[in-house]
Amino acid sequence: MKTCSLFLFACLLLAIPALGQTSATSNQNAELIPQNLLRLVHAPEVHQELAFTAEQVKRLEAFFDLYDGPWFRSRILPADKQLSIVAELEVKLRGWLAKNASAEQTQRLQQLEYRSQGVRMLLREDLGKQLGLKSTQVQELAKLATASNTATANFQKANMGGEVSEKIKSAVVSTAKAEQSALNTILSPEQQQKLKLALGEAFDTAKLERIYPMAPELVYAADWINSEPQKLKDLRGKVVIVHFYAFQCHNCHANFGHYNKWQSEFPSDKVALIGIQTPETSSEREPTAVREAAKERGFQFPVLIDLKSENWKAWSNTMWPTVYVIDKKGYIRYVWQGELNWNGATQDQTIHDLIEKLIAEDETV
């Protein structure tokens, strides 16, 4: 599954515990285990795999309405707080599944969750008990995972500073390979066979794309440019581009031409573009100045003047500019922070291609 950056058997011989009985975050290695359950249940392919009915999907989306906001906003918190919030939301989801899903559906989702976590699934207490893992095996697995995390963190830090050495790159590759090989080097043949049964039929979670929350609804603001106040729920059926900016922000200026291009290129009955001007300076808090700047830049799309930064807070936005791509059913499908062409980046084309893909996407998915 794509985790980043945002995520589902013939095992009747095994007593796999029902979701809710055992939490993947209940042990000392919790921070090493990917929390993918929320990502998985957002993917339509997972709904199909579980044979969810239309009514079950409807109830699940009602669950998303309640809890996608906290999940989405947790992304900017320190790792320990984010871990705690997501764990609490997973408990709520497991409770929802206990009431709304069959035992077979719940069991299959458990298997997909294991698969999505890769080798790290072996650090889960529930799976570890099923396989009969020894404490020494778990310790070795945790050691490999920690080394891989450290190498990745070092790479990210060096990349931010533009000083990525071959040694740092090599460490990322070697630690990742060592962790992947653990299935063969640490598990016994008997444990490998048990794992095969526990995972069930093959399912590639890495190909799932709709693994992010529903977009938060816009917080009402009386001041809009080029439009009356809008709501995202009224734009369902269209691909929606939401971008946060401040009109005196130099980095924001670099993106304005792309927004205008998308506005003119894509039909209004297929794509909606919304700007949210959240002030950074005192002059950006003046509606008249915001309007004059929007006119000067040739904006034809609706702009919400977010004077009290209420939408900025509701979306837990952290940077001017930030662009969000939302599909026809209201799910966030892509996020980009900063200039679209920063240091040779081609995010304008990436987003353009994604918009075209989402326009063509089957609305029943």
Side-chain angles (χ1 to χ4, degrees), residues 13 49 66-67 111 141 161 169 171 175 177 261 265 299:
L13 299 177
E49 178 71 13
L66 292 175
Y67 299 112
Q111 296 164 349
L141 289 164
K169 291 181 182 178
T175 54
K177 286 183 176 179
K261 180 181 178 181
E265 182 174 357
F299 293 171

Side-chain angles (χ1 to χ4, degrees), residues 3 50 68 72 84 106 112 166 186 204 209 309 311 342:
T3 55
L50 301 181
D68 270 11
F72 182 54
S84 177
T106 300
L112 301 188
E166 289 301 319
I186 294 180
D204 189 357
E209 297 181 357
S309 302
N311 283 278
W342 179 258

Side-chain angles (χ1 to χ4, degrees), residues 64-282:
F64 296 160
D65 283 339
L66 292 175
Y67 299 112
D68 270 11
W71 177 33
F72 182 54
R73 288 187 286 273
S74 73
R75 75 192 189 284
I76 69 169
L77 299 177
D80 57 338
K81 291 185 178 180
Q82 183 179 11
L83 182 75
S84 177
I85 289 174
V86 174
E88 291 177 4
L89 294 176
E90 286 187 347
V91 169
K92 293 182 183 297
L93 176 57
R94 295 176 199 279
W96 182 93
L97 290 163
K99 295 180 180 179
N100 294 279
S102 68
E104 291 78 11
Q105 289 171 328
T106 300
Q107 183 184 63
R108 181 55 174 158
L109 181 57
Q110 177 77 90
Q111 296 164 349
L112 301 188
E113 185 183 12
Y114 288 157
R115 285 183 173 276
S116 75
Q117 293 168 331
V119 178
R120 304 286 176 96
M121 64 184 166
L122 299 175
L123 296 174
R124 294 177 57 129
E125 290 184 344
D126 53 356
L127 186 57
K129 290 178 181 179
Q130 291 179 54
L131 304 185
L133 294 181
K134 299 178 182 179
S135 60
T136 52
Q137 290 177 297
V138 175
Q139 290 169 6
E140 183 62 23
L141 289 164
K143 182 179 178 181
L144 291 171
T146 300
S148 182
N149 281 3
T150 299
T152 300
N154 289 339
F155 175 84
Q156 292 173 339
K157 182 178 180 180
N159 191 46
M160 289 291 291
E163 300 177 353
V164 180
S165 66
E166 289 301 319
K167 181 178 180 180
I168 290 176
K169 291 181 182 178
S170 177
V172 173
V173 174
S174 62
T175 54
K177 286 183 176 179
E179 189 174 6
Q180 290 299 318
S181 67
L183 293 174
N184 296 320
T185 61
I186 294 180
L187 298 189
S188 69
E190 180 182 4
Q191 289 170 333
Q192 291 178 33
Q193 184 60 30
K194 288 183 177 181
L195 177 60
K196 183 177 180 180
L197 292 173
L199 292 177
E201 296 180 7
F203 186 93
D204 189 357
T205 61
K207 293 183 178 180
L208 301 179
E209 297 181 357
R210 203 187 78 186
I211 55 174
Y212 303 116
M214 284 187 166
E217 185 53 85
L218 300 176
V219 179
Y220 175 81
D223 286 313
W224 282 72
I225 302 171
N226 300 326
S227 173
E228 295 296 318
Q230 296 196 21
K231 292 184 178 180
L232 292 182
K233 70 177 182 179
D234 295 332
L235 297 174
R236 296 288 169 82
K238 296 183 180 182
V239 178
V240 181
I241 313 301
V242 172
H243 68 90
F244 284 82
Y245 78 97
F247 75 78
Q248 291 183 322
C249 162
H250 175 74
N251 300 102
C252 297
H253 292 177
N255 287 353
F256 288 165
H258 299 300
Y259 305 150
N260 287 336
K261 180 181 178 181
W262 296 336
Q263 174 71 14
S264 63
E265 182 174 357
F266 293 107
S268 60
D269 62 335
K270 301 292 185 181
V271 178
L273 192 73
I274 295 178
I276 300 180
Q277 208 278 173
T278 303
E280 183 178 17
T281 66
S282 58

